[in-house]
């Protein structure tokens, strides 16, 4: 398993970093073509740039199988790289732990399993491919991870675990409470705080949650409002609650002096923009009729507004995809 990477294909002059796709294959093709990629020798490629996928290419959307068919050859041929998202991680856990007493959320992977129902061998091959993907990337001038950059955990991983074989890595990953399990959870799902007083919230996608997602780049936060980072707002009495000393100490802070970092995962809306001069999220809710977003990175250390590129995602209809033979 490749856990991290600093190498790039020869002749690459820039990176096109692409947010969560979730089975929106038509929109992916439109975005790639807008970025100057063309299909040659059976996969999309650019003469001088490399695509960087932030994970979560599966689940939820209408053309999941086609998405994997588009992206995997790009990665295998060096036209792209990709980091593991929490949905790929869940797919691995679902397949490796079925029937072993593990509790997994079948709802997350329902659409994916349906679309691969007649292609089981192909799906199992993709699971093996997911297991080969890096968890984070350190590219020339920038960093890439699906949800969260935790430098302490990354440093410990490099020092103590980077030499693990793929078999040992995934065996540890499936062991609840292990460092690898916590490492994967942190980098692909991010940081959270529990809701106070045992309270819970029902999210827009129907899940009941007892925690909320938090920023790993908050500067001098004082209240829950300063750190919450998710589509579902907190009730005012919770949002205005002051962070206590322990909560502040446990928060991460990605400093302004750090290289630009690109993440997905967080279901943003509106016009794509930087969260801070060196932090950008590229997940703009594509599968919820949002935008499929890319950032064209060329070594700049301050993220520039005019380098975001996107396509507006009209609802992709499964029957249309089948009619055009892309499933």
């Amino acid at each position: 398993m490749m856990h991290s990477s600093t190498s790039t294909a020869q002749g690459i002059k820039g990176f096109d970093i692409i947010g969560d796709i979730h089975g929106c294959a038509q929109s992916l093709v439109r975005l790639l073509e807008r970025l100057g990629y063309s299909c040659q020798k059976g996969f999309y490629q650019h003469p001088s740039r490399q695509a960087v996928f932030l994970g979560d290419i599966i689940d939820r959307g209408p053309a999941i199988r086609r998405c994997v068919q588009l992206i995997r050859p790009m990665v295998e041929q060096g036209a792209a790289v990709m980091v593991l998202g929490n949905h790929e991680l869940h797919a691995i856990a679902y397949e490796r732990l079925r029937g072993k007493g593990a509790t997994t959320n079948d709802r997350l992977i329902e659409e994916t399993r349906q679309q691969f129902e007649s292609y089981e061998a192909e799906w199992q091959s993709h699971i093996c491919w997911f297991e080969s993907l890096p968890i984070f990337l350190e590219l020339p001038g920038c960093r890439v991870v699906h949800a969260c950059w935790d430098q302490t955990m990354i440093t410990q991983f490099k020092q103590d675990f980077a030499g693990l074989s793929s078999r040992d890595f995934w065996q540890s990953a499936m062991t609840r409470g292990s460092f690898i399990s916590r490492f994967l959870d942190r980098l692909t799902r991010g940081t959270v705080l529990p809701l106070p007083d045992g309270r819970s919230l029902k999210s827009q996608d129907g899940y009941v949650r007892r925690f909320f997602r938090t920023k790993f780049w908050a500067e001098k936060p004082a209240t829950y409002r300063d750190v919450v980072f998710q589509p579902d707002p907190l009730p005012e009495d919770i949002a205005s609650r002051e962070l206590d000393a322990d909560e502040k100490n446990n928060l991460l802070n990605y400093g302004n002096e750090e290289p630009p970092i690109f993440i997905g995962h967080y279901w943003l809306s509106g016009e794509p923009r930087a969260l801070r001069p060196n932090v950008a999220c590229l997940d703009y809710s594509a599968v919820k009729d949002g935008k499929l977003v890319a950032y064209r990175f060329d070594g700049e250390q301050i993220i520039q507004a005019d380098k975001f590129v996107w396509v507006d995602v009209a609802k992709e209809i499964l029957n249309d995809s089948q009619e055009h033979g892309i499933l």
Side-chain angles (χ1 to χ4, degrees):
M1 164 151 190
M2 181 175 66
H3 309 297
S4 66
S5 175
T6 56
S7 62
T8 58
Q10 290 185 351
I12 298 299
K13 297 180 180 178
F15 300 102
D16 297 312
I17 307 168
I18 299 174
D20 304 30
I21 302 164
H22 282 302
C24 295
Q26 295 178 25
S27 297
L28 173 58
V29 169
R30 288 167 55 209
L31 181 61
L32 287 171
E33 291 177 348
R34 181 167 294 182
L35 293 168
Y37 291 71
S38 59
C39 190
Q40 302 176 40
K41 300 180 180 179
F43 61 95
Y44 276 85
Q45 55 185 294
H46 193 284
S48 61
R49 303 183 67 84
Q50 190 175 41
V52 181
F53 294 102
L54 289 173
D56 280 9
I57 66 174
I58 62 170
D59 296 344
R60 302 185 188 274
I64 296 163
R65 181 172 175 242
R66 180 55 177 158
C67 259
V68 184
Q69 290 174 335
L70 285 166
I71 292 169
R72 181 175 174 179
M74 291 180 67
V75 173
E76 292 178 336
Q77 297 297 325
V81 290
M82 175 177 157
V83 294
L84 197 72
N86 62 297
H87 282 259
E88 287 81 31
L89 179 60
H90 179 266
I92 293 168
Y94 177 89
E95 294 298 336
R96 298 300 184 234
L97 296 177
R98 275 193 298 172
K100 297 182 180 179
T103 57
T104 58
N105 192 332
D106 293 357
R107 176 181 165 186
L108 279 178
I109 202 169
E110 182 178 0
E111 296 95 341
T112 298
R113 290 294 302 168
Q114 287 176 353
Q115 293 180 38
F116 277 97
E117 187 174 9
S118 300
Y119 307 93
E120 184 64 25
E122 179 186 334
W123 171 239
Q124 294 303 324
S125 173
H126 293 326
I127 291 293
C128 293
W129 176 62
F130 291 157
E131 290 179 327
S132 75
L133 295 174
I135 312 306
F136 61 95
L137 289 166
E138 296 174 287
L139 300 173
C142 71
R143 293 166 171 167
V144 171
V145 70
H146 182 67
C148 175
W149 192 270
D150 184 327
Q151 187 60 60
T152 299
M153 294 194 83
I154 288 171
T155 298
Q156 183 178 351
F157 171 77
K158 288 179 175 179
Q159 291 174 348
D160 299 335
F161 297 96
L164 286 179
S165 68
S166 180
R167 181 178 180 276
D168 289 343
F169 179 92
W170 286 108
Q171 185 174 13
S172 180
M174 299 304 154
T175 303
R176 189 183 300 273
S178 69
F179 172 81
I180 296 299
S181 175
R182 291 183 289 111
F183 171 74
L184 287 168
D185 187 76
R186 175 60 56 87
L187 270 63
T188 67
R189 294 189 176 94
T191 55
V192 299
L193 281 175
L195 290 163
D197 307 320
R199 291 171 65 173
S200 62
L201 294 173
K202 190 171 184 178
S203 65
Q204 295 175 18
D205 52 5
Y207 292 99
V208 176
R209 305 187 190 279
R210 301 186 182 276
F211 58 86
F212 62 93
R213 291 176 175 177
T214 58
K215 301 173 182 176
F216 64 87
W217 59 90
E219 295 183 276
K220 299 180 180 178
T223 67
Y224 281 17
R225 179 182 288 107
D226 297 331
V227 297
V228 63
F229 194 65
Q230 61 183 25
D232 303 298
L234 296 177
E236 179 56 31
D237 66 308
I238 296 179
S240 61
R241 182 182 176 118
E242 292 188 1
L243 293 160
D244 63 32
D246 287 340
E247 289 169 334
K248 288 182 180 179
N249 288 335
N250 288 329
L251 290 170
L252 302 179
N253 181 19
Y254 193 81
N256 288 321
E257 75 285 355
E258 300 287 346
I261 184 163
F262 298 92
I263 57 176
H265 189 60
Y266 292 98
W267 297 99
L268 301 187
S269 58
E271 183 161 326
R273 58 181 178 83
L275 301 170
R276 270 193 12 204
N278 64 336
V279 180
C281 176
L282 302 180
D283 178 8
Y284 277 79
S285 309
V287 78
K288 296 183 179 180
D289 297 335
K291 297 176 175 65
L292 184 58
V293 178
Y295 183 88
R296 310 210 83 178
F297 182 76
D298 295 289
E300 63 276 6
Q301 293 303 285
I302 295 178
I303 295 169
Q304 302 173 14
D306 62 355
K307 301 194 76 173
F308 289 90
V309 180
W310 63 86
V311 294
D312 290 305
V313 183
K315 192 71 173 179
E316 293 189 20
I317 305 299
L318 182 61
N319 288 339
D320 288 345
S321 300
Q322 292 173 323
E323 180 181 331
H324 289 89
I326 67 167
L327 289 181

